[in-house]
Structure formats: C-alpha cells, structure tokens
C-alpha cells in the first residue's frame, strides 16, 4: 500500500500497487510480513501532518513476519525465523548519541515507513541488526502492536520518572496507553486516565485504573508523573496542571498541533515537560521481556492489508478498539 501524495484519510491516500520484490542488501534481511499494526504516526504521515521524507513510500513500522531472504554478512538470522521490524530502522553507530547509549537521537537515524519502505506490504527489507526477535507466546497479530505503541509507550513511562507505587496520569487512551497501563499496574502504580471517550474510560477502569475522567474534569490527586498520548498541546498543559511539584510530563508524540502558552507557575517548583523521541534497541528488548513477564494483553482490530485506507479512516475518527492491525 503506497503513499504517493498525502491526503485526508477519508480520501484514501494509499494505493494498492505491485512493486518488484525487495532484495536484501548486505546486512539486511527480507521478511514476509503477516501482520503490521497501524500507528497514529502512520496516519499523520498519510494525512501530511508529519512531512514525508520520501515519496512514494510504503508506510508501516510495526511489522511481524518470517525471514524470507538473508543478505551478505548477516549473522543471527536464518530463513523462516520470526522477526519484527519497528520504527528505528537504522543508525550510524558512530555519532555522539550512538556512542552514549542514545541511538534514539542518532543524527543519521533512518526510520521504517518514513525513510525506508515499511510494513504495509507483503515483503519488507530491514537491517538485520535492527530486526527484533519476538517472544513466541505472542501470535503475529498480537505482537505487532507491541512494536511501536508498546516500545515507545514504555520509553515514555521510563522518561516520566514514575517510580513503582507512584501516581501516574495517562492522557489519551489509545493503543499505546492500553499497553502502558499494564506495565504501570505491573509496577504497582496508581493510574489516573484522562480521555474524552467514555468507552476508553470504561476500558481504563477495567484494566485497573484508579480513576478515569474527561478533559474537563480535575484529576483528584496530584500526579507524580504523566504521559500524554494525544497529539494536542492543550492536553500537555492539562497534564502539567495535574502534576505534583518535581513531576514530569512525558510527551509521547512525534507531532503536536501546537504548544499553547501557559502561566509559568504551572512549571514552577521543578516540574518538567519533556518529549519522547523514538526508542533504543535496549528499550525494545526490555519491553518485549516485560510483555512476557506480565503478560501484556494486546487488543487488536484486524483489517486485510488492502483495507489499509479504511483502518486509517477509522483511526482518524477514533473508531478503532485497541490497535488496528493489517494482515496479509
Ligand atoms: Zn508508531
Ligand atoms: Zn548515531
């Protein structure tokens, strides 16, 4: 499913196309994709909110499948192995960030479905050293949503500084928050969920939230940390308003509509706002280990690959229960 020109989801920006099969370059594997989850970032790219880096491009960065071909020099992967391909598609390994455990900030990072063709396809080529081994207990369709929503949600939790047993706010409750709440509950945190959707509030309470309310309601306790998932700056300010002194809001969004002005007293007393950019392979391994230990349940809304436009449209309209997953 190819993106040639961004357009509103209702105008079906993706086109089914037949392309030559990708060949693995040295250091790469080619994977036959069976499932690829759809992330809000895919929607933002397809609609043009996130500027395309390359057109045409195949979006999708939560792909699961089996290795079909192995390029020269690849070690650790064989034909038929199950593998996942996520957002971080490659780094230079040499810049100051890569050398200090922060490959998520690499100056020359390449992203799946943005710089490189992604997983809304039957085949995907990926750097072997960035492909992820997946725990067997998750079938393909259940593993796919872990690969962005799960991993980046986990990084956001870490960067929020939430300690075991602490009071955590989750602002927005889509696919990523559905996984984050399970990790936070596993850590014994009290979780407060703010979302305008009544159905999502119900889901949050079912997953062990201590409280769930709308954006116009006040969180009943001061929060030690918060993560925002909605791509809306006013939600970041709402989260900041709910924080105890010294608390952090981690903003889990590659694109925000804008950052509104707010009174300095909301930030005063060492409150912090920080963005969360991408992930490291260490984050991925940690989240996948946790997914097995908890075990994380992923809620999946499956679509055939050729109905990718429909999945985008439903995501845009907020009508996806859990994570949309395209299946070949
Ligand atoms: Zn994503
Ligand atoms: Zn680097």
């Amino acid at each position: 499913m190819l993106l040639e020109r961004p357009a509103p989801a209702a105008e079906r920006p993706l086109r089914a196309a037949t392309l030559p099969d990708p060949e693995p370059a040295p250091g790469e594997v080619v994977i036959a994709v069976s499932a690829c989850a759809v992330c809000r970032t895919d929607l933002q790219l397809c609609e043009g909110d996130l500027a395309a880096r390359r057109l045409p491009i195949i979006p999708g960065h939560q792909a699961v499948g089996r290795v079909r071909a192995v390029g020269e020099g690849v070690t650790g992967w064989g034909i038929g192995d199950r593998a996942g391909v996520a957002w971080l598609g490659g780094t230079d390994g040499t810049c100051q960030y890569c050398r200090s455990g922060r490959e998520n900030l690499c100056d020359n990072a390449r992203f799946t479905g943005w710089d490189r063709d992604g997983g809304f396809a039957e085949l995907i080529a990926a750097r072997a050293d960035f492909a992820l081994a997946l725990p067997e207990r998750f079938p393909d369709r259940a593993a796919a949503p872990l690969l962005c929503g799960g991993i980046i949600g986990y990084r956001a939790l870490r960067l929020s500084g939430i300690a075991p047993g602490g009071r955590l706010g989750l602002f927005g409750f889509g696919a990523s928050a559905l996984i984050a709440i399970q990790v936070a509950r596993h850590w014994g945190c009290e979780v407060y969920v703010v979302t305008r959707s009544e159905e999502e509030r119900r889901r949050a309470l079912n997953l062990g939230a201590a409280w769930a309310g709308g954006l116009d309601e006040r969180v009943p306790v001061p929060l030690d940390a918060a993560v925002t998932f909605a791509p809306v700056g006013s939600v970041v300010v709402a989260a900041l308003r709910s924080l105890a002194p010294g608390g952090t809001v981690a903003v889990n969004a590659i694109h925000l509509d804008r950052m509104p002005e707010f009174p300095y007293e909301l930030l005063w007393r060492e409150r912090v706002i920080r963005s969360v950019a991408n992930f490291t392979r260490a984050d991925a391994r940690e989240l996948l280990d946790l997914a097995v230990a908890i075990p994380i349940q992923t809620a999946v809304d499956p679509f055939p690959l050729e109905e990718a436009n429909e999945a985008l449209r439903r995501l845009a309209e907020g009508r996806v229960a859990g994570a949309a997953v395209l299946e070949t």
Side-chain angles (χ1 to χ4, degrees), residues 9 54 79 105 108 118 144 167 201 289 294 305:
R54 219 194 77 194
I79 307 286
L105 300 178
N108 296 300
R167 289 167 164 173
R201 292 201 288 270
D289 286 348
I294 294 177
L305 174 60

Side-chain angles (χ1 to χ4, degrees), residues 37-42 61-62 87 147-149 152 254:
V38 183
C39 171
R40 182 159 295 278
T41 301
D42 299 314
H61 54 272
Q62 306 184 80
W87 176 241
L147 295 181
C148 185
I152 295 184
I254 190 170

Side-chain angles (χ1 to χ4, degrees), residues 91-95 98 106-108:
T91 59
D92 56 17
T94 57
C95 74
C98 287
C106 177
D107 289 329
N108 296 300

Side-chain angles (χ1 to χ4, degrees), residues 148-163:
C148 185
I151 297 170
I152 295 184
Y154 168 71
R155 183 174 179 85
L157 282 183
R158 278 209 309 111
L159 295 193
S160 79
I162 189 67

